[in-house]
Amino acid sequence: MSVSVIDGKAFSARLQDLVGREVAKVKADHGLHPGLAVVLVGSDPASEVYVRSKRRRSVEAGLASFAHELSEDTSEAELLELIARLNEDRSVHGILVQLPLPDHIDADKVLDAIDPDKDVDGFHVLNVGRLSTGKPSLVACTPLGCMMLLQDLLGDLKGKSAIVIGRSNIVGKPMAQLLLAQDCTVTIAHRFSRDVPKLCRQADIVVVAVGRAGLVRGDWVKPGAIVIDVGINRITDADGNSRLVGDVAYDEASQHAAAITPVPGGVGPMTIACLLANTLTAACRQSGLPDPELTLNSK
Ligand code: GUN
């Protein structure tokens, strides 16, 4: 069976272009300029890279970008004060506080202080609850990106058997909810699940987000399954070279899957494109406009 490699980089570029066109439209037709505030506390090198990328791509899509860089010793109260100001600021439609936060700050308290309607990360308990009860919500960007790739590939997911390996609040749990909302039969596997290879072999759709290089082996994958690899792990190979790999043993799984996301270049680029999409959606809702049409159909 020849595997189809899912090009998340190309798909995310098309989604970003679409967001850009819709942003230009709401600006021209309604004088609405969607704005995203990105808050970084401290100087974690990986976070700095992510935040720079989020700001650059916001500007490329025509969003207003508001940068807030706070020192490592910023108190929880000072951060909560900034969030309260951003909640009130009508030019800010989306607020993202980059994680992880320094240890002295309670991340849950901070995330739940963000106005749920501006919570473009989809991490607020209200958005989590809305997603799980089938109400309109802002959905976490990585699982949203995975779902867009799956729907583009498969169209209707009704009745498909899906396994989500990993149960994080950021990826695994919202991913399972999104699949359930599309009428899939969903299994969530985690470190205490018994015989995960057997569970995995029953799935038409496999989504893996655990942070363990090469966990999912080729013989875990049912012939013809779709494999979405959310993991990003840095490893040093036998030649001493450092490189990024996913949670799936890619070469092996490619022998069995009908389609698979590579790492890098699969799910990763979709996350920021979905952040831009969420910011536009949030801005439209706050202005009483209908949700923008952000479906890409490659077929
Ligand atoms: N840190 C790593 N990924 C993310 C993300 O998607 N959102 C936020 N806020 N922080 C992160």
Side-chain angles (χ1 to χ4, degrees):
M1 180 179 297
S2 89
V3 72
S4 158
V5 180
I6 301 168
D7 188 346
K9 202 167 165 203
F11 194 94
S12 80
R14 286 174 48 224
L15 178 58
Q16 182 174 323
D17 282 350
L18 177 58
V19 171
R21 287 197 298 277
E22 292 293 320
V23 166
K25 219 189 278 176
V26 293
K27 259 191 202 168
D29 294 350
H30 304 281
L32 170 62
H33 190 188
L36 172 64
V38 176
V39 180
L40 175 64
V41 184
S43 51
D44 175 71
S47 292
E48 283 180 340
V49 171
Y50 280 130
V51 161
R52 258 202 309 276
S53 188
K54 285 169 185 176
R55 289 191 193 129
R56 179 177 50 77
R57 289 182 58 183
S58 299
V59 172
E60 282 170 5
L63 301 174
S65 171
F66 305 99
H68 295 272
E69 294 193 4
L70 309 180
S71 65
E72 181 84 25
D73 61 2
T74 300
S75 70
E76 185 179 285
E78 285 169 319
L79 180 55
L80 290 171
E81 227 170 84
L82 170 62
I83 289 170
R85 279 206 308 279
L86 296 174
N87 283 343
E88 291 304 315
D89 186 338
R90 290 174 63 83
S91 60
V92 172
H93 304 92
I95 302 169
L96 179 140
V97 177
Q98 185 68 23
L99 301 176
L101 287 167
D103 289 343
H104 64 276
I105 298 178
D106 180 343
D108 285 338
K109 198 163 162 187
V110 169
L111 295 178
D112 287 338
I114 296 172
D115 179 341
D117 294 338
K118 296 190 177 186
D119 169 38
V120 284
D121 253 331
F123 294 165
H124 192 289
V125 285
L126 244 173
N127 279 316
V128 173
R130 285 174 181 161
L131 173 65
S132 65
T133 51
K135 303 200 171 66
S137 61
L138 288 165
V139 177
C141 300
T142 300
L144 182 59
C146 294
M147 185 46 93
M148 284 188 179
L149 293 176
L150 283 169
Q151 286 183 315
D152 185 65
L153 209 60
L154 296 173
D156 191 1
L157 305 187
K158 194 172 292 190
K160 300 268 185 213
S161 160
I163 187 166
V164 179
I165 306 178
R167 56 173 167 180
S168 69
N169 290 336
I170 293 180
V171 183
K173 287 180 197 161
M175 189 71 233
Q177 290 294 350
L178 285 171
L179 289 161
L180 192 58
Q182 294 304 314
D183 302 317
C184 292
T185 303
V186 185
T187 301
I188 305 174
H190 49 78
R191 70 176 73 236
F192 298 109
S193 301
R194 302 216 183 101
D195 205 346
V196 180
K198 181 176 168 203
L199 296 172
C200 195
R201 274 191 289 271
Q202 292 163 1
D204 306 311
I205 295 167
V206 180
V207 182
V208 198
V210 290
R212 278 182 57 192
L215 173 78
V216 174
R217 307 301 303 259
D219 65 357
W220 294 28
V221 177
K222 174 172 152 177
I226 310 296
V227 177
I228 306 289
D229 188 351
V230 184
I232 302 178
N233 310 286
R234 185 163 288 285
I235 60 156
T236 305
D237 64 20
D239 303 328
N241 299 318
S242 160
R243 65 192 173 96
L244 294 178
V245 297
D247 291 347
V248 176
Y250 181 85
D251 291 341
E252 289 180 16
S254 298
Q255 303 295 313
H256 302 263
I260 187 166
T261 56
V263 176
V267 172
M270 288 301 291
T271 299
I272 299 184
C274 288
L275 172 68
L276 310 179
N278 275 351
T279 304
L280 171 62
T281 300
C284 288
R285 290 180 185 167
Q286 285 159 48
S287 309
L289 299 174
D291 279 7
E293 182 46 66
L294 295 174
T295 309
L296 281 172
N297 194 342
S298 305
K299 307 220 166 62

